[in-house]
């Protein structure tokens, strides 16, 4: 049966679930901008499993899921970029399920499970992101469909609820503006929060029309709690739920709290999770041991300056909804500092916000969508400063409000136009369906094109460079990439250009110092490392770079205090521990002829810090190589193994097998010791300590061994 005929054949049941369909009550407004009509208690249209509604809804849900999978299939070729490197590749937090507690614990748990089952293969991470996004799209479909089937809407909207919900769900799921929340792995925090946000509202709707509402309400509170564990933006969910209840389910705020005060007490109670995880404290205060990028402790912008910047950002977001090009990973949006930069955008936003509030007070669906748009964006687009004033992933959930407004509003305008032209319903439906398919197909193609930018970090940052040529970050990031590929001169030029664009870019100074240090330009390395430390004294890596440059220049005594400070700033950072261990080993060598006892103590401290670095990061070549040098140079392998034999080392390092060989030898398992020494020499044939131990233990075990050349 054609979909149009099916919709025409459906009649609204007047006895859902055996209950009266409505009860009379106080008058409430209807329509987008008001108009008093008789209030009816909001009872949803019944959907029995075999009804035509249920069959249509299943096909609609399948279409949304299929569209989401289709447009994001090529995202599986994406790589880890930008914050992915810090939060996933370099993170120790996700290496152990026991360490996921803290900020955004549910996101950390999902990443830890990804790492447990797939290591650092991006494929599995992208799969989880896609599943979350598709589930969010399906939940949005359910929210829109059940909302439009409420009795407060006219018959045309109620009978076409599945069609409107399908359109909103499809457009929202395939919109290119969503790529940053789906294809950019670490931003699954946004999509997970969006999923649980929508589930909270969905459970509220289901509970309001159920004969036994509390299972639904309890599920909504649980979803809200999971959202709080995903991202702090979820803090607005209880408020939006109350606003939804007032507009669609109850006649007034007094009625909302009279009927469902327990529900909202439970929803607001989930705010406690933001306190116990330390998220609230991080927003209102700063951590002197870490760089602050968000909250009132961020010194890059005052709350007022940040708030005055946001109207321009919001207008840019709105423009990307209707014209999603160009998209940019890092806008480096400037803080508004002039009247002209604030006045125009600010006036537009104030007018739209005032109209939304006025419409909301009249219980208009359009007013609810407008107010909810601003409320959801309030945590990141109000007075709480962030290092990034604009980020596309912040539009993940607010995009639904704008799309729903456009879909329903456009349908109302087209309905009037069709009526004036006397267009038949069948023709009108076909035109509308064709237009929707064209829009969805266009957006889907743009999404797939955008996904390709995530296939390479170089490609992504080159794209940022094209669209934001005055942003220093893409030059620094591309310099990092080319330097890792051994292209020193281009890297130096890119770092220098980034510094010219922003002399206060401490990361560019630090990275440039590291490059100069590697090529032997010690004076230039010291200069830029000092600049990095001056700009950001709490940057532990800049401290290490400066210390290494000073040590390379022959000034060990000036370099060591910076290494101690780096460990104090970040005691659990393996690089800081490793560098301090190396510095102490060098100091021990200097003291060897003057004070053998003090030299021995310094050497013990060096070994302790190096072993701690290996414990924190078993696959850290720097620490492994330094420890191998110390053990070989001072002949202390036996003593070190006796104290630190339980250190777990990666199998790719010769020292790992050397230490395992020593453990086997001390336990009397000579054959195992010989086998481990051989493995060490197979990895590094020049490893003299492994070669010497192999010869010595082989003679003890009466095993004929020919050491590899």
């Amino acid at each position: 049966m054609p979909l149009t005929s099916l919709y025409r054949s459906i009649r609204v049941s007047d006895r859902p679930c055996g209950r009266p369909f409505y009860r009379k009550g106080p008058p409430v407004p209807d329509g987008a901008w008001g108009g008093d009509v008789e209030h009816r208690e909001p009872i949803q249209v019944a959907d029995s499993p075999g009804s035509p509604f249920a069959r249509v809804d299943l096909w609609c849900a399948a279409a949304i899921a299929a569209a989401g999978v289709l447009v994001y299939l090529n995202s599986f070729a994406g790589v880890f970029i930008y914050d992915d490197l810090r939060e996933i590749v370099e993170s120790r937090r996700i290496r152990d399920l026991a360490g996921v507690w803290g900020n955004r614990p549910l996101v950390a748990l999902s990443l830890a499970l990804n790492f447990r089952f797939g290591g650092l293969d991006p494929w599995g991470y992208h799969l989880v992101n896609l599943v979350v996004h598709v589930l969010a799209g399906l939940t949005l479909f359910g929210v829109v469909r059940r909302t439009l089937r409420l009795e407060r809407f006219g018959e045309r909207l109620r009978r076409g609820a599945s069609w409107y919900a399908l359109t909103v769900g499809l457009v929202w799921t395939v919109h290119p503006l969503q790529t940053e929340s789906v294809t950019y792995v670490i931003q699954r925090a946004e999509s997970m929060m969006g999923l649980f946000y929508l589930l909270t509202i969905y459970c509220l709707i289901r509970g309001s029309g159920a004969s036994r509402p509390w299972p639904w309400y309890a599920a909504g509170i649980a979803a809200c709690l999971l959202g709080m564990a995903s991202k702090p933006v979820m803090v607005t969910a209880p408020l939006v739920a109350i606003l939804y209840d007032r507009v669609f389910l109850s006649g007034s705020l007094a009625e909302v709290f009279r009927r469902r005060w327990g529900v909202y007490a439970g929803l607001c109670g989930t705010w406690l999770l933001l306190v116990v995880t330390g998220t609230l404290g991080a927003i209102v205060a700063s951590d002197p041991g870490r760089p602050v990028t968000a909250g009132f402790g961020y010194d890059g912008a005052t709350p007022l300056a940040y708030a005055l910047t946001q109207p321009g950002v919001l207008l840019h977001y709105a423009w990307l909804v209707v014209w999603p090009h160009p998209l940019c990973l890092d806008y480096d949006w400037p803080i508004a500092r002039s009247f002209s930069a604030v006045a125009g955008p600010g006036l537009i936003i104030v007018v739209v916000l005032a109209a939304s509030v006025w419409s909301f007070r009249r219980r208009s669906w359009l007013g609810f969508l407008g107010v909810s748009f601003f409320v959801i964006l309030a945590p990141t687009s109000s007075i709480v400063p962030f290092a990034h004033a604009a980020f596309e992933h912040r539009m993940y959930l607010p995009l639904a409000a704008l799309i729903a407004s456009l879909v329903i509003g456009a349908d109302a305008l087209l309905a009037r136009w069709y009526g004036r032209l006397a267009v038949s319903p069948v023709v009108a439906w076909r035109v509308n369906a064709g237009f929707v398919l064209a829009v969805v197909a266009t957006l889907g193609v743009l999404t797939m094109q955008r996904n390709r930018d995530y296939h390479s970090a170089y490609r992504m940052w080159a794209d940022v460079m094209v669209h934001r040529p005055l942003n220093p970050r893409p030059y620094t990031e591309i310099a990092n990439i080319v330097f890792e590929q051994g292209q020193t001169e281009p890297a130096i030029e890119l770092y220098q250009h980034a510094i010219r664009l922003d002399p206060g870019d401490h990361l560019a100074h630090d990275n440039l110092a590291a490059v100069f240090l590697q090529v032997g330009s010690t004076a230039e390395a010291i200069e830029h490392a000092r600049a990095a430390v001056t700009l950001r004294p709490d940057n532990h890596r800049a401290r290490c770079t400066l210390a290494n440059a000073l040590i390379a220049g022959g000034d060990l005594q000036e370099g060591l205090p910076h290494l101690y400070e780096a460990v104090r700033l970040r005691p659990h950072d393996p690089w800081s521990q490793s560098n301090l261990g190396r510095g102490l080993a060098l100091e021990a060598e200097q003291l060897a002829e003057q004070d053998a006892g003090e030299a021995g103590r310094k050497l013990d401290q060096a070994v302790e810090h190096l072993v701690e670095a290996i414990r924190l990061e078993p696959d850290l070549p720097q620490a492994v190589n330094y420890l191998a040098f110390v053990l070989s140079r001072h002949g202390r392998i036996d003593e070190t193994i006796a104290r630190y034999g339980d250190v777990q080392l990666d199998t790719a390092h010769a020292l790992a097998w050397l230490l395992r060989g020593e453990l086997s030898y001390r336990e009397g398992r000579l054959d195992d010791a010989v086998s481990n020494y051989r493995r060490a020499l197979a990895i590094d044939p020049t490893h003299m300590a492994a070669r010497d131990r192999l010869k010595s233990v082989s003679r003890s075990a009466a095993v004929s061994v020919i050491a590899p050349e």
Side-chain angles (χ1 to χ4, degrees), residues 129-144:
N129 281 26
L130 177 56
V131 170
V132 170
H133 181 56
V134 169
L135 290 176
L138 294 175
T139 308
L140 176 62
F141 168 78
V143 169
V144 175

Side-chain angles (χ1 to χ4, degrees), residues 57-98:
D57 294 340
L58 286 176
W59 282 108
C60 291
I64 292 173
V69 171
L70 179 63
V71 300
Y72 281 102
L73 268 180
N74 66 336
S75 71
F76 284 39
V79 299
F80 295 124
I81 61 172
Y82 203 17
D83 287 341
D84 290 341
L85 303 179
R86 183 183 72 251
E87 301 291 341
I88 299 175
V89 177
E90 300 173 0
S91 174
R92 305 305 309 161
R93 184 184 182 190
I94 69 170
R95 300 302 194 267
D96 185 1
L97 294 178

Side-chain angles (χ1 to χ4, degrees), residues 430-445:
R430 289 175 178 173
V431 171
N432 288 350
F435 178 73
V436 169
L437 288 176
V439 170
V440 170
T442 302
L443 294 175
V445 170

Side-chain angles (χ1 to χ4, degrees), residues 254-459:
E255 182 71 8
V256 167
F257 291 112
R258 185 186 69 81
R259 299 175 63 184
R260 278 180 279 273
W261 66 268
V263 178
Y264 299 113
L267 292 178
C268 293
T270 62
W271 288 337
L272 292 175
L273 184 65
L274 301 179
V275 177
V276 299
T277 58
T279 302
L280 181 62
I283 293 174
V284 300
S286 60
D287 182 352
R290 293 177 178 270
V292 178
T293 59
F296 295 108
Y298 173 64
D299 58 4
T302 65
L304 178 60
Y306 186 84
L308 293 176
T309 302
Q310 287 306 301
V313 175
L314 295 180
L315 291 181
H316 181 72
Y317 289 159
W319 174 249
L320 290 177
V321 173
V322 297
W323 191 263
H325 182 80
L327 300 177
C328 187
L329 180 70
D330 183 4
Y331 283 95
D332 192 34
W333 198 281
I335 297 298
R337 305 188 185 278
S338 64
F339 178 79
S340 59
V342 174
L347 179 61
I348 296 174
I349 294 300
V350 168
V351 169
V352 174
L353 178 59
S356 299
V357 173
W358 176 81
S359 181
F360 170 80
R361 289 175 61 86
R362 303 191 68 190
R363 297 188 66 236
S364 159
W365 63 266
L366 190 57
F368 166 77
L369 292 176
V371 171
S372 63
F373 172 82
F374 287 105
V375 170
I376 296 171
L377 279 171
T380 55
S381 297
S382 57
I383 63 172
V384 181
F386 284 77
H388 297 274
F391 250 145
E392 291 165 5
H393 65 257
R394 295 171 185 167
M395 277 294 291
Y396 185 78
L397 196 54
L399 179 63
L402 295 186
I403 290 177
S405 301
L406 291 173
V407 168
I408 300 176
D411 178 77
L413 293 176
L414 288 173
R416 290 186 179 183
W417 184 66
Y418 292 148
R420 291 177 181 177
L421 297 179
V423 178
S424 70
V426 174
V427 173
W429 188 90
R430 289 175 178 173
V431 171
N432 288 350
F435 178 73
V436 169
L437 288 176
V439 170
V440 170
T442 302
L443 294 175
V445 170
L446 293 176
T447 295
M448 290 187 285
Q449 290 179 346
R450 179 58 174 168
N451 286 336
R452 295 192 186 100
D453 291 333
Y454 288 88
H455 291 179
S456 163
Y458 183 91
R459 177 171 178 169

Side-chain angles (χ1 to χ4, degrees), residues 552-574:
D555 197 343
L556 177 62
Q557 296 309 311
E558 185 182 355
L560 277 175
H562 291 288
L563 294 176
Y564 281 114
E565 180 65 11
V567 171
R568 187 193 70 79
L569 289 170
R570 195 69 66 85
H572 300 298
D573 178 64

